[in-house]
Amino acid sequence: MRAIHSSAIISPAQMTAIDRAAAGSGLDSFALMNAAGSAVGEIALRRFPQALRFVVLCGPGNNGGDGYIAARRMRASGACVALYALGDAPAAGGDAARARSACAMAPAAFDTFVPRSGDVIVDALFGAGFSRPVCEDVAVVMRKVTAMDLPVLSVDLPSGVDGRTGAVRGESFTAARTVTFVARKPGHLLLPGRMLCGALDVIDIGIPRRLVDAHAGNLRKNTPAVWGQEAMVLNAAVHKYKRGHLAVFSGGPLSTGAARLAASAGLASGAGLVTLASPELALQANAAHLTAVMLKAIDTAEALETWLDDRRISAFVLGPAFGDVEKARGFVTLLRDRRLVLDADGITAFRDDPAVLFDQFATGPTRLVMTPHDGEFARLFADLAQDPALSKIDRAIAAARRSHAVIVFKGADTVIADPDGRALVNANAPPWLATAGSGDVLAGMIGAHLAQGMPAFEAAAAGVWRHGDAGTLAGEGMTAETLVQAIRPLHA
């Protein structure tokens, strides 16, 4: 049994295609099932030594087949195992039917199962492709197991979780641990599925990597391996302008804090220098709180246009507490050929006619990054936000293609999507990042990577991952200010 450390994420449909390709290449599909079920049994024995009884709940499909093999493996080790089958027996001739026959344990009917103290539940009812509502008989058992706080080891995904979207189909188990095979599925990383999986083991069952790569798409877990090669490596010859000049736009005199957070985060994230473009009336407030960040008085479109003659300014952040949506629209028009992070009020400024924004960035290399939360996303992409058939990944990719921008669809399960169809799901953000000012810090971090010359997709991915890393380092109870202080050097 070997764990997989790849960042690939594959959909249930892609997993089905991989299974078929494996069988078509001459691999024994039952041998693959045997490897999967044996891994489940071994992990159950190793991770739950306190079990008085292992209760294996098997569905009629291949997920149930994995369960029968796991039950046989655990029984052979001397463990107390009880086996229950849901619904009809697997279709004759299939791998699941073969696994049931080889188990040498007669399963009891599912509706006779009564959970008891000391049980560990091995959930092999439904696989990652499950997408219909859980029937009431199963939902009742799920609720009883949860009420008794019994440990659950789920095969592939907690039953009831949709592997494509992470949604719960009526009811689900809450697993202490989940064992999946070949690669992660979207439901392991998207909410609420991620919160229900517990610790996740991704196991190699012997399918060659070439078959996986041939059917996997462009979806990955966000890790430094995805974007690290694009990051700037510092050397003795680098000066501040080579490290990028980031400009952040401030709001009015009573709304300056958000922009200062973004600017400070940009500096801490590696930009060579950062300028806060501030209205005249806000200069004094900003100057009282800033030292290393420079100030520039920018009140009008004319002043901005003149400033833009300095091509050393390599990226911009517009939106955090900016306030004036009409001015924001005018500023974005002037920035249409520059590298720009658009956040908060900068996004809301285009809610009445998003196409005006999209058209300005429609040609040339991708240079716009937008960082919407759910509400801001709905302001620009109302139809996508309201479509129940789409997962968060689907929405982000469709929005990126429509807007010609990298979309950072924020949340505990942030999705980063590029117009070319690539997408990443981020998984390192601690829950305490959900605090005032955290998004402003993220905008500044992404801006710093843009300023350094990273491609927009990789710049956004790096900013999101480092944001989560800083949140973990800052710890529970952090504020946006302490989050900035916790940003680690990129090459630490």
Side-chain angles (χ1 to χ4, degrees), residues 123-149:
D123 159 31
L125 290 174
F126 311 122
F130 183 82
S131 59
R132 64 185 183 276
V134 170
C135 66
E136 183 58 22
D137 287 350
V138 174
V140 167
V141 168
M142 289 173 170
R143 290 193 285 268
K144 286 180 179 178
V145 167
T146 299
M148 294 178 67
D149 198 25

Side-chain angles (χ1 to χ4, degrees), residues 94-285:
D95 289 333
R98 185 176 172 184
R100 178 167 170 161
S101 297
C103 184
M105 295 173 59
F110 180 83
D111 59 10
T112 66
F113 167 52
V114 178
R116 64 193 192 203
S117 179
D119 282 350
V120 170
I121 312 300
V122 178
D123 159 31
L125 290 174
F126 311 122
F130 183 82
S131 59
R132 64 185 183 276
V134 170
C135 66
E136 183 58 22
D137 287 350
V138 174
V140 167
V141 168
M142 289 173 170
R143 290 193 285 268
K144 286 180 179 178
V145 167
T146 299
M148 294 178 67
D149 198 25
L150 299 177
V152 176
L153 173 65
S154 288
V155 180
D156 215 12
L157 267 163
S159 290
V161 174
D162 186 322
R164 186 180 68 85
T165 68
V168 173
R169 299 304 179 187
E171 197 76 44
S172 79
F173 282 117
T174 299
R177 197 166 202 97
T178 297
V179 184
T180 196
F181 314 104
V182 181
R184 295 171 181 83
K185 316 306 183 294
H188 293 129
L189 296 173
L190 296 177
L191 295 177
R194 192 175 88 200
M195 304 302 295
L196 301 171
C197 288
L200 179 65
D201 295 292
V202 184
I203 302 301
D204 180 3
I205 57 173
I207 296 178
R209 198 76 232 166
R210 59 182 172 79
L211 297 181
V212 178
D213 292 342
H215 294 277
N218 292 317
L219 181 61
R220 299 285 184 273
K221 180 183 176 183
N222 187 23
T223 70
V226 175
W227 43 263
Q229 289 188 336
E230 298 289 351
M232 174 177 283
V233 178
L234 296 182
N235 61 63
V238 170
H239 58 76
K240 61 187 178 183
Y241 281 103
K242 284 287 187 182
R243 293 180 60 195
H245 182 179
L246 175 65
V248 179
F249 291 93
S250 172
L254 299 180
S255 304
T256 57
R260 286 199 302 274
L261 285 170
S264 298
L267 200 61
S269 298
L273 62 164
V274 179
T275 298
L276 195 62
S278 174
E280 288 274 2
L281 291 176
L283 281 174
Q284 187 172 356

Side-chain angles (χ1 to χ4, degrees), residues 410-426:
K410 294 189 294 193
D413 54 353
T414 293
V415 177
I416 306 107
D418 189 84
D420 67 8
R422 289 179 294 164
L424 302 169
V425 183
N426 198 69

